[in-house]
Amino acid sequence: MNLREKLQKFFRCQQCGACCKREGGIVYISMEEAEKIASLLQKPLFVFLQENCKKQRGWLVISDSKFNPNCYLDSKNRCQIYSCRPKFCKQYPFVPEILKDDSSIKEEANLCPAIFEAINHPL
């Protein structure tokens, strides 16, 4: 079984927040996702958009390296919006940048304990 297959079979998010602290990451959201997050945070949508989002090339952004870099992590690195986290976050680590080859998967495993455990899972 190759690393990609092991990752797909054994990856279980530990909600450690490591993925939220990746260098250069940008989290885009849809308006529907913004509505769900605003509701969870008990904020009117317009307030949420004004305080927590920026527009970048026509897209809504809730986090990048300079804007809200730790996104919605609390003091224990737990995501405060995990139940309605954006599709972008739900897809992690199953994105082309990480899955492109074994070295990319291994590099990401240095950041994410759940990836590390998945690719080192005994068969």
Side-chain angles (χ1 to χ4, degrees):
M1 181 177 289
N2 66 35
L3 291 185
R4 184 180 293 167
E5 292 168 336
K6 287 181 87 173
L7 185 60
Q8 290 172 329
K9 184 171 184 173
F10 299 115
F11 178 80
R12 300 291 177 270
C13 179
Q14 296 176 7
Q15 298 183 34
C16 69
C19 56
C20 299
K21 294 180 177 183
R22 291 181 79 234
E23 284 290 319
I26 299 174
V27 180
Y28 298 99
I29 61 170
S30 67
M31 187 57 74
E32 182 181 326
E33 290 169 329
E35 290 170 356
K36 289 177 183 177
I37 296 167
S39 177
L40 179 73
L41 298 175
Q42 299 180 343
K43 290 184 177 185
L45 179 59
F46 77 93
V47 172
F48 172 77
L49 292 172
Q50 194 171 37
E51 293 178 352
N52 303 89
C53 298
K54 72 175 185 176
K55 281 269 192 172
Q56 185 171 316
R57 290 182 238 138
W59 294 88
L60 282 177
V61 174
I62 60 168
S63 179
D64 66 25
S65 60
K66 293 180 182 170
F67 176 76
N68 195 20
N70 290 327
C71 210
Y72 291 92
L73 295 181
D74 65 17
S75 62
K76 295 181 180 178
N77 289 324
R78 299 285 182 191
C79 179
Q80 297 172 332
I81 62 167
Y82 191 84
S83 64
C84 64
R85 67 196 183 282
K87 178 182 177 183
F88 180 84
C89 300
K90 289 177 184 174
Q91 291 176 333
Y92 180 86
F94 303 103
V95 295
E97 175 186 336
I98 295 169
L99 297 179
K100 67 182 173 185
D101 55 35
D102 284 357
S103 65
S104 298
I105 294 171
K106 288 177 184 177
E107 186 176 325
E108 198 69 18
N110 291 326
L111 302 172
C112 174
I115 295 174
F116 182 85
E117 286 185 15
I119 67 172
N120 291 293
H121 191 279
L123 297 178

